[in-house]
């Protein structure tokens, strides 16, 4: 069945991926299921998922800074390529977080401007 040009199986697969990512953030590996009834769907706390995501971004930035400092101090175990890759990973994760924030703010404004 197609909903606005999107196949229902694609939506179901995307929801399974989102559930798996949320479970991974909580530290619990669950198998990816293609069809989950609403009664079986685990409740995900938005605040905890957001905090876990922000903690991952913070950890990536801290690791990048630490590698940069080690390289600057002349540590032979750290190469320039490691420093640059770490910096790019931190940058991409930060940019992704900013884009998610922008989408959330936009959705909030759309909801607040709805007519009742």
């Amino acid at each position: 069945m197609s909903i606005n040009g999107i196949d229902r199986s694609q939506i179901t697969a995307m929801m399974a991926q989102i559930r798996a990512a949320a479970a991974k953030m909580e530290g619990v590996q669950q198998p990816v299921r293609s069809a989950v009834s609403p009664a079986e769907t685990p409740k995900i706390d938005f605040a905890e998922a957001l905090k876990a995501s922000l903690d991952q971004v913070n950890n990536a930035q801290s690791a990048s800074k630490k590698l940069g400092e080690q390289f600057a101090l002349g540590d032979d175990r750290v190469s320039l390529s490691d420093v640059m890759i770490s910096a790019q990973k931190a940058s991409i994760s930060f940019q992704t977080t900013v884009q998610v924030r922008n989408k959330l703010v936009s959705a909030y404004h759309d909801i607040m401007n709805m007519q009742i």
Side-chain angles (χ1 to χ4, degrees):
M1 175 180 249
S2 178
I3 302 171
N4 292 334
I6 299 174
D7 188 17
R8 184 181 269 303
S9 63
Q10 292 175 339
I11 295 172
T12 305
M14 180 63 76
M15 291 301 295
Q17 289 176 353
I18 291 171
R19 286 186 190 102
K24 187 177 180 182
M25 281 192 280
E26 292 175 358
V28 178
Q29 280 295 85
Q30 294 180 346
V32 176
R33 294 175 276 190
S34 59
V36 177
S37 68
E40 295 176 7
T41 305
K43 300 296 180 197
I44 300 170
D45 186 18
F46 179 75
E48 288 178 11
L50 184 62
K51 183 180 181 325
S53 177
L54 291 175
D55 286 341
Q56 286 178 348
V57 172
N58 185 40
N59 291 340
Q61 289 179 334
S62 297
S64 174
K65 182 179 177 183
K66 183 178 177 183
L67 278 176
E69 289 172 352
Q70 288 175 343
F71 182 77
L73 292 173
D75 189 350
D76 292 338
R77 294 174 290 168
V78 180
S79 67
L80 179 60
S81 61
D82 291 340
V83 174
M84 296 307 294
I85 290 170
S86 178
Q88 285 299 314
K89 284 181 181 180
S91 175
I92 289 170
S93 64
F94 181 73
Q95 290 173 5
T96 302
T97 302
V98 169
Q99 291 301 318
V100 169
R101 182 214 52 189
N102 291 345
K103 290 289 185 180
L104 287 172
V105 170
S106 175
Y108 174 78
H109 285 294
D110 290 345
I111 290 170
M112 294 308 292
N113 290 329
M114 283 183 178
Q115 295 289 331
I116 297 177

